[in-house]
Amino acid sequence: MPELPEVEVVRRGLASWVAGRTVADVQVLHPRAVRRQPAGAGDFTARLTGTTLGTAQRRGKYLWVPLAGTGTGFSLIGHLGMSGQLLVQDPSVPDETHLRVRLRFADGGRELRFVDQRTFGGLAVEEAEDGDPEGTPVSIAHIARDPLDPRFDDEAFTAALRAKRTTVKRALLDQTLISGVGNIYADEALWRTKLHYDRPTATLTRPQAALLLASARDVMTAALAVGGTSFDSLYVNVNGESGYFSRDLDAYGREHEPCRRCGTAIRRAAWMNRSSYFCPRCQRVPRARSGG
DNA sequence: CAGTGGCCCTGTCTGC
DNA sequence: TGCAGACAGGGCCACT
């Protein structure tokens, strides 16, 4: 379940393994993997072949690699979805079961493979937002900066958060408000801040909002330092290696286990067709609201 | 316009 | 053993 730290690990891998290399050949093995390419797989392949890859960039959970060689302003953009992997593999390694896209390079070295079991992720070649010095692809111009971005505006975020008429976990997962936070790190940030996931954002005090942001930033920074979170082989870096943060999680996936702060059993609640993990003692349910 | 919720997708696990 | 259903869940988009 790649969130910001996991995607950043992949970005670094791409920056060190594929930057500066020229694409010799592209294979799309599953059309759904390039469904965001409006003109289809043939167009994707044509736009990519012969280009030279630049240094991978990231915003939230999106990655993009600027392309040079056949004109400017285009990037290879990717999202890993839930189960996507970008692997840098020796050509002799047998194809993975869920291999969706393969890029071979002119140097004949290790190839780039997009592997995705559930195909929620995907790749596309896309033009940059007009006049954007960072070369942000058009389709992700609406994605907010993430808390590890030096240009993230803390004051603007906390003000926008408190102005929202929604609940706090929903807001954390809203990628137009703050990007890179998924279910795992949302639960972790809420646990650290002692906030219940259904707490109305409008009731947050300024210090609570600031602490929530600091907690999200802290937990993702800590996860990044140990290579991200992974529970199984579904999430790996470009070399197929797992991160170690799962052992440091305080809430997510810890149903029935004692809260590391107060000892109360962590509870799992059904929420928005997924799960929320929280400590029922540290993170009290908000008072009932009238209306929606 | 802002907020809400259905849907996409497949492998793994559990229960009958 | 086989089958059905729950579950994992980010982001898009139709709807209110």
Side-chain angles (χ1 to χ4, degrees):
Chain A
M1 288 135 262
E3 299 181 28
L4 188 154
E6 295 73 36
V7 177
E8 175 60 17
V9 168
V10 172
R11 188 200 68 77
R12 292 177 182 181
L14 292 176
S16 58
W17 290 98
V18 305
R21 302 176 67 194
T22 299
V23 178
D25 175 61
V26 180
Q27 289 176 1
V28 175
L29 296 104
H30 195 304
R32 191 174 150 77
V34 294
R35 66 189 178 284
R36 289 202 194 166
Q37 193 75 40
D43 187 50
F44 173 80
T45 300
R47 287 177 181 275
L48 208 45
T49 305
T51 63
T52 298
L53 303 185
T55 301
Q57 310 290 310
R58 182 186 56 73
R59 177 169 295 182
K61 302 170 201 168
Y62 279 93
L63 289 164
W64 72 93
V65 183
L67 303 176
T70 59
T72 55
F74 283 86
S75 293
L76 170 63
I77 180 174
H79 195 290
L80 302 178
M82 283 181 62
S83 54
Q85 305 172 358
L86 282 165
L87 302 173
V88 179
Q89 294 279 47
D90 190 274
S92 66
V93 175
D95 287 2
E96 292 76 9
T97 305
H98 304 291
L99 177 63
R100 309 303 192 195
V101 179
R102 183 204 325 271
L103 269 64
R104 290 197 181 95
F105 294 96
D107 57 25
R110 291 168 75 178
E111 56 192 40
L112 181 62
R113 299 181 183 180
F114 179 66
V115 177
D116 190 0
Q117 175 195 103
R118 286 168 234 180
T119 65
F120 274 36
L123 304 178
V125 176
E126 205 176 275
E127 198 158 17
E129 179 81 344
D130 202 23
D132 179 4
E134 294 173 282
T136 314
V138 283
S139 72
I140 60 170
H142 68 289
I143 300 289
R145 291 183 185 277
D146 61 66
L148 299 192
D149 185 329
R151 291 172 67 181
F152 185 90
D153 188 334
D154 288 23
E155 287 299 319
F157 168 74
T158 52
L161 179 71
R162 298 176 67 228
K164 283 268 178 190
R165 304 232 228 304
T166 186
T167 50
V168 66
K169 184 167 174 180
R170 254 191 176 280
L172 283 176
L173 298 180
D174 179 351
Q175 305 294 303
T176 66
L177 195 60
I178 180 172
S179 69
V181 183
N183 205 38
I184 297 173
Y185 296 112
D187 281 1
E188 293 301 302
L190 290 168
W191 182 88
R192 289 184 176 213
T193 320
K194 300 186 184 179
L195 287 172
H196 188 276
Y197 57 88
D198 264 345
R199 175 71 175 268
T201 48
T203 70
L204 293 176
T205 64
R206 213 179 293 268
Q208 282 176 321
L211 185 60
L212 180 62
L213 171 59
S215 299
R217 186 175 275 142
D218 287 350
V219 71
M220 291 195 289
T221 300
L224 179 57
V226 294
T229 301
S230 50
F231 301 101
D232 51 41
S233 59
L234 265 192
Y235 164 70
V236 291
N237 67 14
V238 297
N239 292 312
E241 299 156 349
S242 293
Y244 295 98
F245 196 69
S246 57
R247 64 188 180 190
D248 296 323
L249 295 174
D250 289 312
Y252 188 87
R254 296 193 68 242
E255 187 180 19
H256 304 316
E257 292 176 49
C259 169
R260 293 196 224 276
R261 208 161 32 209
C262 76
T264 305
I266 295 290
R267 194 171 293 169
R268 179 174 76 91
W271 180 85
M272 294 280 297
N273 289 323
R274 57 201 65 173
S275 295
S276 269
Y277 295 88
F278 67 106
C279 171
R281 182 171 172 186
C282 296
Q283 300 167 266
R284 294 300 173 98
V285 184
R287 283 168 296 187
R289 294 173 294 151
S290 57

